[in-house]
Amino acid sequence: MKKIGFIGTGVMGASIVKHLLKAGYAVNVYNRTKSKADEVVALGAVWQDTPALVTKASDVVFTIVGYPQDVEEVYVGEQGIFSEATPAHILVDMTTSTPTLAKKLYQLGKDQGIAVLDAPVSGGDLGAKNGTLTVMVGGDQTAYEQAAPIIEVFSGKMNLQGPAGSGQHTKMANQIMIAGTMVGMSELMVYADKAGLNVEKVLDTVGGGSAANWSLANYGPRILKQDYSAGFFVKHFIKDLRIALDEADKMGLTLPGTALAAQLYEQLAEAGFENDGTQALIKLWWHSGKPEA
Amino acid sequence: MKKIGFIGTGVMGASIVKHLLKAGYAVNVYNRTKSKADEVVALGAVWQDTPALVTKASDVVFTIVGYPQDVEEVYVGEQGIFSEATPAHILVDMTTSTPTLAKKLYQLGKDQGIAVLDAPVSGGDLGAKNGTLTVMVGGDQTAYEQAAPIIEVFSGKMNLQGPAGSGQHTKMANQIMIAGTMVGMSELMVYADKAGLNVEKVLDTVGGGSAANWSLANYGPRILKQDYSAGFFVKHFIKDLRIALDEADKMGLTLPGTALAAQLYEQLAEAGFENDGTQALIKLWWHSGKPEA
């Protein structure tokens, strides 16, 4: 059984590590803030002081950290993964990061005979907890096949999307779609409220037909309970939308809906809500988080 | 058993009339273009030469026509419904029209003791064919309860949303949501294609998770088959979005996502695609209707 390294034991990472431990894997962990690894260490994961030491002790190293610069630090920093990686390793970055960085890490690996996959996930905290994450993989087929049995432990759906960077591009496509549902849902709800309708009844009526979508079904009821806690942070969604727009720009592609969503979410962050969940977009209209009609 | 009048035997209306005939109702029909009523007349509906004559021969009169001005003509025109309507009648407009006109017709009726309901539908041609339309009703409870057993014949979901105009407002909320999913879906697909991904595989991967929505599931595969036939016409969606934006404007509400969608669909109509289905939005990027990467 392969020894696993896991770097990044935040909300998502910790849930994934628990699934790996439960499946019987030995897991070496590292996290920038050590205390956030306490829970999984108590369950049997082994703490290592640096990404390099995690790598030395493991066969397959997963990373899920915050921003592309964190990914870069963890891979190519002084105590980084690459300082100890060998051709026997498989490295899997699950952070939602740039396709450009994914290709760079893949090439860095390839030059030394080391397989690197980009494998961002969707499904949020609940998907991680339930082991049903959607995993979108970019890289070589052989490495994908070797990593797949491990990924299956915490995934409900997994596909090799294409060469290095394709996992990240697929995740961007996913976020572009969600930009549309979040803006549409917010405008639906503020309109219904202002028109004097019973918003809950409207969600019930329209939610099962051609307007049906995951955001409406999951966030609509939370908004009506004024629950703006983060399943997924506003600040992270802004990061994702900016990556998507940068990549689109490089391809000569204009995405006006995504650009509008990025702009609205930036307004929301500027108003102080960057640590709310993405459903807080409605606060651009409902400043108190409550219906206003 | 109540005698039914049905004005507007287009794609939606004809399917609904068939369900009513099958349920055993006597149905009197009128349509501006007479030939479009031939099919239902052959199945047992009785042709009447004017909306007034339909009303004279019926207890409950349904209308589903094109634009608000058509609704006005059918109700208050010289040979219109109101010229023959009595307090024994119930009038039900299922056209997607303005909340303002719905309230006006309600008041006109009320002044003469005649019940008028606004009851726009969603679910499209397929929902009409299968008798599973979502019906969003505005008006008085008593009239709603009297019309409900008839509406149930062709509806999968039905709610009284509130007073006159509330059905139309709910339909607008529905269309505002769809504006978001259609823009998001189009941008997702052009991005995925331009990034060199297999678009079909991307739809499969992201379509079951937090990006899931009805438009993606139903229109995504049709776009990949270059099927731009109209389940729902671009020109009718533009009408709906304009009504939603006008109503929002009256309420002092800014809906930037809906405004963007209206603008994009107007560009599409100007490019000559007003009689395509709404999934043709992607032609703003894929001018030939095909992937370009």
Side-chain angles (χ1 to χ4, degrees):
Chain A
M1 212 166 186
K2 288 198 169 78
K3 283 171 290 169
I4 294 177
F6 208 98
I7 293 163
T9 54
V11 177
M12 302 291 288
S15 288
I16 296 170
V17 169
K18 286 183 209 168
H19 285 289
L20 293 169
L21 289 169
K22 209 186 287 174
Y25 284 102
V27 187
N28 298 287
V29 296
Y30 170 80
N31 194 65
R32 194 165 49 189
T33 307
K34 190 178 173 181
S35 60
K36 285 191 184 162
D38 287 351
E39 194 193 354
V40 292
V41 168
L43 291 168
V46 177
W47 172 261
Q48 301 286 351
D49 280 328
T50 65
L53 291 170
V54 167
T55 308
K56 203 171 176 180
S58 312
D59 302 310
V60 181
V61 181
F62 290 92
T63 50
I64 187 163
V65 294
Y67 293 86
Q69 59 266 37
D70 303 321
V71 176
E72 206 146 13
E73 174 68 20
V74 159
Y75 277 81
V76 298
E78 216 178 307
Q79 302 292 317
I81 294 167
F82 272 122
S83 69
E84 286 291 343
T86 71
H89 281 96
I90 299 173
L91 312 179
V92 187
D93 182 31
M94 298 199 294
T95 316
T96 296
S97 168
T98 69
T100 306
L101 178 57
K103 285 180 227 166
K104 181 181 156 185
L105 295 177
Y106 170 84
Q107 195 54 51
L108 269 174
K110 195 178 165 95
D111 293 344
Q112 305 168 57
I114 304 162
V116 181
L117 298 169
D118 52 300
V121 303
S122 80
D125 51 348
L126 210 67
K129 197 172 279 180
N130 297 334
T132 57
L133 290 169
T134 297
V135 186
M136 301 158 255
V137 189
D140 293 341
Q141 180 78 31
T142 314
Y144 173 73
E145 282 167 11
Q146 291 176 300
I150 305 170
I151 296 173
E152 263 166 14
V153 167
F154 54 84
S155 167
K157 177 129 201 154
M158 171 177 61
N159 265 325
L160 180 64
Q161 304 294 339
S166 299
Q168 296 298 350
H169 273 311
T170 303
K171 179 67 187 280
M172 289 305 124
N174 188 78
Q175 302 305 71
I176 287 167
M177 184 68 249
I178 291 174
T181 57
M182 294 307 290
V183 171
M185 175 186 72
S186 303
E187 296 192 359
L188 176 169
M189 291 179 75
V190 298
Y191 178 96
D193 173 55
K194 203 83 165 184
L197 301 173
N198 177 325
V199 182
E200 199 173 347
K201 195 185 266 189
V202 171
L203 295 185
D204 174 57
T205 305
V206 309
S210 46
N213 66 87
W214 190 96
S215 296
L216 192 67
N218 286 272
Y219 289 132
R222 289 175 73 169
I223 290 170
L224 291 178
K225 280 183 231 148
Q226 295 158 48
D227 172 6
Y228 294 105
S229 61
F232 184 50
F233 286 112
V234 164
K235 61 186 174 189
H236 287 158
F237 196 39
I238 292 172
K239 170 198 70 167
D240 295 359
L241 294 177
R242 280 291 145 214
I243 294 172
L245 290 167
D246 284 352
E247 293 292 327
D249 199 46
K250 284 181 200 168
M251 304 187 255
L253 198 60
T254 305
L255 302 176
T258 308
L260 173 66
Q263 190 191 313
L264 294 174
Y265 271 101
E266 274 161 6
Q267 274 178 41
L268 186 66
E270 277 158 27
F273 300 112
E274 72 272 22
N275 289 313
D276 274 12
T278 48
Q279 71 274 27
L281 185 61
I282 204 163
K283 289 185 181 175
L284 288 182
W285 292 268
W286 294 353
H287 301 301
S288 67
K290 291 182 209 175
E292 304 204 319
Chain B
M1 211 165 188
K2 289 199 168 77
K3 284 171 289 169
I4 294 178
F6 208 98
I7 293 163
T9 54
V11 177
M12 301 292 287
S15 288
I16 296 171
V17 169
K18 286 183 209 168
H19 285 290
L20 293 169
L21 289 169
K22 208 186 287 175
Y25 284 101
V27 186
N28 297 286
V29 297
Y30 170 82
N31 193 65
R32 194 165 50 189
T33 308
K34 190 177 175 182
S35 60
K36 285 191 184 164
D38 287 351
E39 193 193 352
V40 293
V41 168
L43 291 168
V46 177
W47 173 261
Q48 301 285 352
D49 279 327
T50 66
L53 291 171
V54 167
T55 308
K56 205 171 175 181
S58 311
D59 303 309
V60 181
V61 181
F62 290 91
T63 49
I64 186 161
V65 294
Y67 294 85
Q69 59 266 36
D70 302 320
V71 175
E72 206 146 13
E73 173 68 21
V74 160
Y75 276 80
V76 299
E78 216 177 307
Q79 302 292 319
I81 295 168
F82 272 121
S83 69
E84 285 291 345
T86 70
H89 280 97
I90 299 174
L91 312 179
V92 187
D93 182 32
M94 299 199 293
T95 317
T96 295
S97 168
T98 70
T100 306
L101 178 57
K103 284 179 227 167
K104 182 181 156 185
L105 295 177
Y106 170 85
Q107 194 56 50
L108 269 174
K110 195 177 165 97
D111 293 345
Q112 306 168 57
I114 304 162
V116 181
L117 298 169
D118 51 300
V121 303
S122 79
D125 51 347
L126 209 68
K129 196 169 281 179
N130 297 334
T132 57
L133 291 169
T134 297
V135 186
M136 300 158 256
V137 190
D140 293 341
Q141 180 77 33
T142 313
Y144 172 73
E145 282 166 12
Q146 291 176 300
I150 305 170
I151 295 175
E152 263 166 15
V153 167
F154 54 84
S155 168
K157 178 127 202 156
M158 171 176 61
N159 266 325
L160 180 64
Q161 304 293 339
S166 300
Q168 297 296 351
H169 273 311
T170 303
K171 179 67 188 279
M172 290 304 124
N174 188 77
Q175 302 305 71
I176 287 167
M177 183 70 247
I178 290 175
T181 57
M182 294 306 290
V183 171
M185 176 187 72
S186 303
E187 297 193 358
L188 176 169
M189 290 180 73
V190 297
Y191 178 96
D193 172 56
K194 203 83 165 183
L197 301 173
N198 177 324
V199 182
E200 198 173 348
K201 195 185 266 189
V202 171
L203 295 185
D204 173 58
T205 305
V206 311
S210 46
N213 65 88
W214 190 96
S215 297
L216 192 67
N218 287 273
Y219 289 133
R222 288 176 73 170
I223 291 171
L224 290 179
K225 279 182 232 149
Q226 295 159 49
D227 172 6
Y228 295 104
S229 61
F232 184 51
F233 286 112
V234 164
K235 63 186 175 189
H236 288 158
F237 196 39
I238 291 172
K239 170 199 69 169
D240 294 359
L241 294 176
R242 281 290 146 216
I243 294 172
L245 289 167
D246 284 352
E247 293 292 325
D249 198 47
K250 284 181 198 167
M251 304 188 255
L253 198 59
T254 306
L255 302 177
T258 308
L260 174 66
Q263 191 191 312
L264 294 174
Y265 271 101
E266 274 162 7
Q267 275 178 40
L268 186 66
E270 278 158 29
F273 300 112
E274 72 272 22
N275 288 314
D276 274 11
T278 49
Q279 72 274 26
L281 185 61
I282 204 162
K283 289 185 182 174
L284 287 183
W285 291 268
W286 295 352
H287 301 300
S288 67
K290 291 183 209 174
E292 304 205 319

